[in-house]
């Protein structure tokens, strides 16, 4: 039986095992997908055990190891290299390869409402690992301008060199909300809370990478029909991993979203 893991420092609550279990059943596959919690100080030692364990076809990587894992595996694909983060690692004949499907998950998630989405100005709040995959995807989606806001300005200075990307201090966010076509939260906090005095309705489309609860405080500032949910990114980033490890393209259906819906109310 093939086995896969999701590794991270806080994966007990991860919904990925539920997604995989749903697809195992859907495709009548006998497989295993387990959360494996790792403390940052034990990362190298624990990872070594996984890499040496028999029957492991791969593992997903989540916070805070998406960047660190790169040094410990044999190779990475071109997307991960450009993003600087890996969210899934697979065993191949040539060794362990790291790939990134977060950007694919994000692209698919925003395209759920593509008919209503003007791909002109995107506002990205936060600049951590997830944000880098989001920016990569926005470029691939041909957004004309990507404005990246961060509390710590030093971390985004270098983005000035990138064509179509403007780094801005988070304190100026309010001035840019009106003209944004898509506003994306990639932080664990709601940056809008401190800058908008009441729950004003912003006209842009909104995406929150935080998927639990589904209706986050950040999303509550936007029209209900303009909200895009982090849970779809989670599902869409998982599908290529399942396909690579278990050889079947899983179907992403309403039954899966209904099941997950119960866990993110
Ligand atoms: P991930 O890798 O999951 O994206 P991360 O690397 O910890 O997470 O990044 C978190 C992002 O959220 C950072 O941009 C961080 O801002 P700083 O670079 O200034 O630390 C941002 N962030 C976290 N808490 C925040 C808060 N309370 N207000 C604003 N930004 C916050």
């Amino acid at each position: 039986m093939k086995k896969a893991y999701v590794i991270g420092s806080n994966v007990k609550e991860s919904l990925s095992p539920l997604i995989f279990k749903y697809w195992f059943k859907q495709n009548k596959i006998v497989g295993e997908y387990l959360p494996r919690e790792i403390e940052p100080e034990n990362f190298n030692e624990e990872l070594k055990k996984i890499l040496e364990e028999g029957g492991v076809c791969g593992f997903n990587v989540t916070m805070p190891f998406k960047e660190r894992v790169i040094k410990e595996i044999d190779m990475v694909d071109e997307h991960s290299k450009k993003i600087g983060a890996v969210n899934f690692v697979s065993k191949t004949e040539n060794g362990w390869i790291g790939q990134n499907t977060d950007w694919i998950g994000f692209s698919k998630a925003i395209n759920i409402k593509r008919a209503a989405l003007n791909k002109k100005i995107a506002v990205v709040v936060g600049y951590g690992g997830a944000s880098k995959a989001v920016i990569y995807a926005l470029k691939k989606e041909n957004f004309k301008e990507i404005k990246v806001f961060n509390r710590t300005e030093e971390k985004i200075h270098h983005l000035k060199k990138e064509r179509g990307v403007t780094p801005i201090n988070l304190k100026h966010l309010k001035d840019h909300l009106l003209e944004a076509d898509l506003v994306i939260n990639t932080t664990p906090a709601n940056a809008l809370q401190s800058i908008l005095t009441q729950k004003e309705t912003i006209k842009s489309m909104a995406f929150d990478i935080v998927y639990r609860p589904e209706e986050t405080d950040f999303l509550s500032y936007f029209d209900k029909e303009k909200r895009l949910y982090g849970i779809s990114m989670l599902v869409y980033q998982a599908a290529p991993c399942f396909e690579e490890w278990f050889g079947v393209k899983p179907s992403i259906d309403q039954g899966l979203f209904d099941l997950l819906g119960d866990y993110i109310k």
Side-chain angles (χ1 to χ4, degrees):
M1 182 175 61
K2 277 191 185 172
K3 187 199 261 186
Y5 290 113
V6 52
I7 65 166
S9 67
N10 191 18
V11 287
K12 281 198 199 100
E13 302 279 297
S14 167
L15 294 180
S16 296
L18 264 178
I19 298 173
F20 276 76
K21 208 169 149 192
Y22 184 88
W23 287 335
F24 283 143
K25 201 169 161 201
Q26 179 189 71
N27 296 289
K28 301 188 177 58
I29 288 171
V30 183
E32 211 168 30
Y33 183 93
L34 302 168
R36 190 141 163 178
E37 193 125 335
I38 300 178
E39 296 296 328
E41 59 272 28
N42 303 330
F43 178 68
N44 289 43
E45 188 187 322
E46 289 298 315
L47 184 69
K48 195 163 174 274
K49 283 187 203 159
I50 295 174
L51 300 180
E52 286 170 359
E53 190 182 322
V56 178
C57 52
F59 52 94
N60 282 123
V61 187
T62 186
M63 267 197 19
F65 305 128
K66 288 185 182 183
E67 292 165 11
R68 255 180 99 173
V69 75
I70 293 177
K71 283 204 291 297
E72 314 304 325
I73 53 180
D74 301 307
M75 58 208 139
V76 294
D77 75 340
E78 54 156 327
H79 307 295
S80 316
K81 202 181 272 176
K82 286 180 189 150
I83 295 168
V86 151
N87 72 301
F88 97 105
V89 178
S90 307
K91 192 175 198 168
T92 71
E93 279 174 7
N94 302 320
W96 294 93
I97 179 164
Q99 299 180 70
N100 190 302
T101 57
D102 283 336
W103 71 278
I104 299 173
F106 176 76
S107 274
K108 298 229 178 208
I110 61 168
N111 278 306
I112 290 172
K113 293 202 173 164
R114 67 177 156 272
L117 180 61
N118 187 7
K119 293 180 180 172
K120 220 166 148 202
I121 303 176
V123 157
V124 180
V125 183
Y127 190 66
S131 169
K132 288 168 194 158
V134 163
I135 295 166
Y136 185 76
L138 290 168
K139 285 183 185 167
K140 291 252 177 216
E141 291 289 332
N142 291 319
F143 270 79
K144 300 271 172 300
E145 200 180 351
I146 304 162
K147 297 179 181 180
V148 182
F149 292 80
N150 205 41
R151 184 178 59 174
T152 316
E153 212 177 334
E154 304 90 83
K155 290 192 195 165
I156 52 171
H157 260 148
H158 67 282
L159 291 174
K160 273 195 189 123
K161 288 186 247 131
E162 290 193 27
R163 202 156 53 91
V165 181
T166 317
I168 308 170
N169 192 301
L170 186 61
K171 62 180 184 226
H172 302 302
L173 177 61
K174 193 176 178 182
D175 309 335
H176 297 264
L177 286 174
L178 261 183
E179 56 169 25
D181 296 298
L182 175 64
V183 183
I184 305 130
N185 177 40
T186 72
T187 78
N190 172 18
L192 302 176
Q193 202 170 22
S194 54
I195 58 171
L196 300 176
T197 45
Q198 59 206 33
K199 295 228 159 135
E200 299 166 47
T201 304
I202 309 165
K203 293 278 170 267
S204 348
M205 199 87 97
F207 182 92
D208 199 340
I209 216 152
V210 176
Y211 59 78
R212 189 164 22 203
E214 190 168 30
E215 296 294 348
T216 59
D217 192 53
F218 168 82
L219 286 175
S220 68
Y221 288 83
F222 300 83
D223 267 352
K224 190 120 192 188
E225 62 275 19
K226 300 246 177 110
R227 297 178 196 166
L228 291 156
Y229 299 96
I231 194 68
S232 24
M233 178 172 170
L234 183 76
V235 169
Y236 284 111
Q237 64 76 35
C241 309
F242 185 91
E243 185 175 356
E244 179 146 329
W245 295 333
F246 300 102
V248 183
K249 193 184 179 104
S251 120
I252 295 169
D253 54 26
Q254 194 51 43
L256 177 57
F257 285 108
D258 290 346
L259 171 77
L260 296 170
D262 289 339
Y263 291 84
I264 56 175
K265 269 186 188 136

